[in-house]
Amino acid sequence: QVQLVESGGGLVQAGGSLRLSCAASGRTFSPYAMGWFRQAPGKEREFVATITWNGGSAYYVDRVKGRFTISRDNAKNTVYLQMNSLKPEETAVYYCAQKRHPSGSDYALPEYDYWGQGTQVTVSS
């Protein structure tokens, strides 16, 4: 079983930047992909970014393209999300998740097997 712990959230003003980290631990860790999702108050949890563990192929939801960068350090079992030019509407709890197998969409929540507890990101106007 894999445990995921997010960190790096906090309060920033509009236009600012944050870098989130997600550290994985457990007996085994060999995911097909790692993803970041977010959930704003009163909203559904949504896909933000994903990266394949071996090849490092990254994909983003359209609204964050050009501003967010997902990356990973395989040796440290850690995935990151660099967020630049943050907007107030991106205030949300950000979650790290692991997708074990290549089947199914890398953008769909039900395809991810393990989830962290989330880290709060607040962007002030």
Side-chain angles (χ1 to χ4, degrees), residues 2-21:
V2 174
Q3 294 177 272
L4 306 175
V5 180
E6 302 96 335
S7 62
L11 174 64
V12 297
Q13 59 185 26
S17 299
L18 280 176
R19 186 165 109 130
L20 307 182
S21 298

Side-chain angles (χ1 to χ4, degrees), residues 3-113:
Q3 294 177 272
L4 306 175
V5 180
E6 302 96 335
S7 62
L11 174 64
V12 297
Q13 59 185 26
S17 299
L18 280 176
R19 186 165 109 130
L20 307 182
S21 298
C22 173
S25 63
R27 296 187 65 182
T28 61
F29 186 73
S30 57
Y32 170 72
M34 297 292 292
W36 286 98
F37 298 78
R38 64 189 178 190
Q39 187 166 21
K43 300 292 184 65
E44 297 287 329
R45 191 171 300 185
E46 66 174 357
F47 166 77
V48 177
T50 186
I51 188 167
T52 58
W53 205 242
N54 292 139
S57 298
Y59 300 91
Y60 305 87
V61 67
D62 286 347
R63 65 180 65 91
V64 309
K65 287 181 179 177
R67 298 186 297 114
F68 288 15
T69 302
I70 187 171
S71 61
R72 89 282 195 229
D73 187 332
N74 300 58
K76 295 182 180 295
N77 291 156
T78 301
V79 63
Y80 306 93
L81 185 67
Q82 177 67 46
M83 305 184 293
N84 298 327
S85 302
L86 282 161
K87 305 173 181 179
E89 58 264 36
E90 292 173 316
T91 292
V93 176
Y94 283 69
Y95 297 90
C96 172
Q98 176 189 320
K99 185 175 185 288
R100 295 181 63 191
H101 300 106
S103 60
S105 174
D106 289 358
Y107 322 125
L109 276 70
E111 300 297 333
Y112 285 78
D113 305 289

